[in-house]
Amino acid sequence: MNFDPRITPARPDLAASFLEGKISAARYVAGELREVVDPSAPVRREPRPDASLDTEALKGERVTIYETNEEGWAWGQLAKDGYVGWLPANALMAPGPEPTHRVAALRTPILSGPSIKMPTLEMISFGGVLAILREEGRFGVTANGCYVPLMHLAPVQAVEKDFVAVAERFLGVPYVWGGKTSLGLDCSGLVQVSLNACGVGCPRDSYMQEGALGKAVDPGADFSGLKRGDLVFWKGHVAIARDETHFLHANGFHMAVAIEPVRETIVRFAKEGTPVRAVRRLM
């Protein structure tokens, strides 16, 4: 059997216990559930700060940890999309109360008191989740006694209606390989956080999204058949059709989330030897 190492918690020396009998490893571990308590946590390919950033885990995400090394790195698997990698152990704690709200603004401040004049303790990005124990005026109060503007929150069960409109909120956000926060994100990160806000499960990487999302469609040789929300895939890249004439995508050419004409984008990629290889329609 072939297992994708990015979403399979297995190494030659260690694997998750549920993989015993499927993958060979020196030992198997059940793992311990943890919660991301930092605004976000990097998920790296190797346990060092200069290793490649594969993705990020947002505030409140659950992670099953199988090993923590002496240098303070924890190896585990994210609950939401199954991604596997190394996270800073000090960004994780035992799970607290179940999240009740998600951050619906691009970013929101976590304040030390019930006033916008109080010190900001941290900034939480869109999609992060929090347990709000009570409301106090215009603020929600978290389990550890911090205050969050209620107008920046939505109940965790509430979903957005238009994932393209969600993605448009990130216009101008810098391109960051492996990122998925409002401080920086990549092409597939933009797709994932936007679809997740609409209650749609979404894999992390573009090649995974190409295989899992929607159905294949033929937009025509001139791409005039594109519809809003179509996902257009190249090798290693994905863009969102804003309409039949414009793409929205996080890309290294602009080093930001940008809108650009469909034809111009396709021609640029073709000149680089990367033709469109799939168009997927979600609805």
Side-chain angles (χ1 to χ4, degrees), residues 93-115:
M93 290 185 65
E98 283 294 317
T100 60
H101 291 74
R102 63 176 176 84
V103 176
L106 207 58
R107 284 185 296 278
T108 191
I110 305 296
L111 304 167
S112 62
S115 167

Side-chain angles (χ1 to χ4, degrees), residues 5-17 19 25 27 29 31-32 43-47 63-69 72-78 83-89 92:
R6 299 187 185 189
I7 54 173
T8 307
R11 311 181 325 229
D13 64 319
L14 175 66
S17 58
L19 293 170
R27 62 190 178 101
V29 178
E32 296 182 348
V43 181
R44 300 192 183 276
R45 197 163 302 177
E46 298 176 25
V63 189
T64 300
I65 297 301
Y66 298 100
E67 179 186 47
T68 301
N69 68 19
W73 289 92
W75 185 72
Q77 182 174 37
L78 305 185
Y83 224 92
V84 173
W86 292 92
L87 300 86
L92 309 170

